[in-house]
Amino acid sequence: MTPPRLAIALAVAGLTVMTAQAPTPPNIVIILADDLGYGDLGAFGSPSIRTPRLDLMAAEGQKWTNFYVQPVCSPSRAALLTGRLPIRSGMYGVPAGPAPKVLRDNAAQGLPPEEITIAELLKPKGYATAIVGKWHLGHLPQFLPMRQGFDSWFGLPFSHDMKMTVARDNDYDTAAYYDPKPEYWDVPLVRNGEVIERPVDHRTLTKRYTEEAVRFIEENKSRPFFLYFAHNMPHIPLARSADYVGHSSAGIYGDVVEEIDWSAGRILDTLRAANIDRRTLVVFTSDNGPWLPFKTHAGSAGPLRNGKGTTWEGGVRTPAIFWWPGTVRPSVVTDIGSAMDLFVTAAKLAGTEPPSDRIIDGLDLRAPLMSRGPSPRQVLFYYSDSELRAVRKGPYKAHFITSGSYDDGERRVEHDPPLLFNLAEDPGERHDIAPAHRDVVADLMREAAAHKKTVTPTRPLFDELLKN
């Protein structure tokens, strides 16, 4: 029989061991829309697109009004997943043509295998990892998600407007974009590297992606997981399920966004039903701003200037919502954040560290998320392909190079001295205040010069194409 004092001592020792055990790290879900504009959600000022589930997500969590991505798709996804500017990983092209480059459907390259993704950071910590949706970081076998830390993948290798089978005979007014049929684009739907449908019926993507994401959550609710849910919509050609045809007063674009809103709500409902919402961080944002040449088939940057493909605010500032019941307190955050910061934040939340053998551009956002302090990000660098075009510090943004994109008529201009805008007072970048603030311009130029010293560009991988 165990003596009473010894029994008590053993019980206390056991309790100490139990309480010393590390808490279960949170699940992390990143929902990434494609070409969604800053002004396309109700919570961010849309007057006609109804997004009640995302609006509620913003009300229950944090709405970030100064959150940044890259000007176009592939660089944006690379930056988000690696926490590094694309100039450091080769995820760019030599500047040429009407817009920054992306990986084409005949790309010979992809995200270099030596780059470390969020999935690769979290797997050693016991996370299940999945991507549902668009990859667009290399379509050859050696570049697919399964080689970059993901246990599973259900989605498309690139944009669903690639491998066009009909004539693009009128640029952005080509009829196929506005009356699309699946057979107009020979794009495969892939599960874990195996093509399961070709051409994909893009009308079903949002619903099927959502069903797949829900299945992954339910199958992994008893362990930590990382879900990267990358929608193909509202990138053109716009498509939605039968339930959402005519759903919105804002036309087909509104239909598509309202189905994405339904999808986001379905994810949150699934987390609640599984009783894991209070240990899950969900982030919603977009890969870049709206693709404006497509007119009513494109979104709106709201009060911001221009759109996708530019380093004006409308191209790189996107809606962002962080939701984590019991941890993220409801608020509107006006501090600066970047999609690159998700890499470091995810690592810290999972109890691991970012790699120390390379420069990481992301920062840890736990302090603002947990209401312990401001965002650590004070400076932001704006790249287009290999060009450093602008820098922001606090409210001030200096433009060294400006241009439009996609043949919108705004010519490329190199500014010496740079343009200067106070984004807190002038988010639309209408009023150049450089003449009255030479000291601010000089400070931002010093920031740019110091940053350039940290950059050793790799070769531009977007320019390497497969031979016919």
Side-chain angles (χ1 to χ4, degrees), residues 275-297:
N275 200 30
I276 55 174
D277 54 311
R278 296 180 72 84
R279 57 182 177 92
T280 305
L281 170 64
V282 183
V283 183
F284 180 93
T285 191
S286 179
D287 66 337
N288 46 247
W291 204 350
L292 297 177
F294 287 99
K295 302 169 186 172
T296 60
H297 280 230

Side-chain angles (χ1 to χ4, degrees), residues 128 152 212-223 225:
S152 64
E212 186 74 15
V214 166
R215 187 178 305 113
F216 173 78
I217 291 169
E218 291 176 342
E219 290 175 352
N220 292 279
K221 61 186 177 183
S222 62
R223 62 180 293 193
F225 61 78

Side-chain angles (χ1 to χ4, degrees), residues 114-334:
E114 61 269 21
E115 290 296 320
I116 297 174
T117 68
I118 296 175
E120 288 174 296
L121 271 185
L122 301 190
K123 271 182 72 71
K125 303 302 291 185
Y127 276 72
T129 59
I131 169 175
V132 174
K134 176 178 169 181
W135 176 237
H136 212 169
L137 290 174
H139 70 281
L140 298 179
Q142 63 268 34
F143 301 118
L144 294 180
M146 318 298 287
R147 299 291 185 93
Q148 292 285 4
F150 288 97
D151 298 326
S152 64
W153 171 41
F154 177 79
L156 307 190
F158 35 66
S159 297
H160 62 291
D161 68 328
M162 292 187 167
K163 288 193 172 293
M164 201 168 185
T165 62
V166 295
R168 186 179 186 272
D169 53 8
N170 198 18
D171 294 327
Y172 303 105
D173 293 320
T174 296
Y177 291 133
Y178 301 94
D179 184 22
K181 294 179 174 56
E183 59 267 27
Y184 291 171
W185 294 272
D186 186 29
V187 176
L189 176 64
V190 179
R191 183 182 292 280
N192 299 337
E194 179 184 350
V195 175
I196 60 173
E197 180 178 305
R198 186 167 196 163
V200 65
D201 186 345
H202 46 263
R203 296 167 297 190
T204 68
L205 283 177
T206 298
K207 182 172 282 189
R208 291 163 81 182
Y209 283 173
T210 304
E211 292 168 351
E212 186 74 15
V214 166
R215 187 178 305 113
F216 173 78
I217 291 169
E218 291 176 342
E219 290 175 352
N220 292 279
K221 61 186 177 183
S222 62
R223 62 180 293 193
F225 61 78
F226 168 53
L227 171 60
Y228 172 46
F229 184 176
H231 284 283
N232 278 83
M233 301 296 164
H235 190 293
I236 56 91
L238 297 177
R240 69 286 200 218
S241 67
D243 290 345
Y244 279 83
V245 174
H247 193 270
S248 175
S249 64
I252 185 173
Y253 187 86
D255 290 349
V256 170
V257 174
E258 290 179 15
E259 187 167 29
I260 290 172
D261 179 71
W262 161 81
S263 172
R266 184 85 172 87
I267 297 302
L268 302 189
D269 290 345
T270 301
L271 295 169
R272 284 195 175 101
N275 200 30
I276 55 174
D277 54 311
R278 296 180 72 84
R279 57 182 177 92
T280 305
L281 170 64
V282 183
V283 183
F284 180 93
T285 191
S286 179
D287 66 337
N288 46 247
W291 204 350
L292 297 177
F294 287 99
K295 302 169 186 172
T296 60
H297 280 230
S300 167
L304 308 179
R305 183 168 176 175
N306 217 302
K308 175 180 176 177
T310 76
T311 49
W312 294 109
E313 291 292 288
V316 290
R317 197 197 299 194
T318 54
I321 303 169
F322 290 75
W323 182 90
W324 185 357
T327 298
V328 172
R329 287 190 227 161
S331 62
V332 175
V333 178
T334 58

Side-chain angles (χ1 to χ4, degrees), residues 72-138:
V72 288
C73 180
S74 298
S76 195
R77 292 159 202 272
L80 184 157
L81 287 173
T82 67
R84 284 156 53 83
L85 287 164
I87 191 71
R88 303 193 196 278
S89 62
M91 292 288 94
Y92 67 95
V94 174
K101 294 176 181 176
V102 300
L103 285 164
R104 303 303 304 170
D105 54 39
N106 62 341
Q109 294 291 338
L111 184 67
E114 61 269 21
E115 290 296 320
I116 297 174
T117 68
I118 296 175
E120 288 174 296
L121 271 185
L122 301 190
K123 271 182 72 71
K125 303 302 291 185
Y127 276 72
T129 59
I131 169 175
V132 174
K134 176 178 169 181
W135 176 237
H136 212 169
L137 290 174

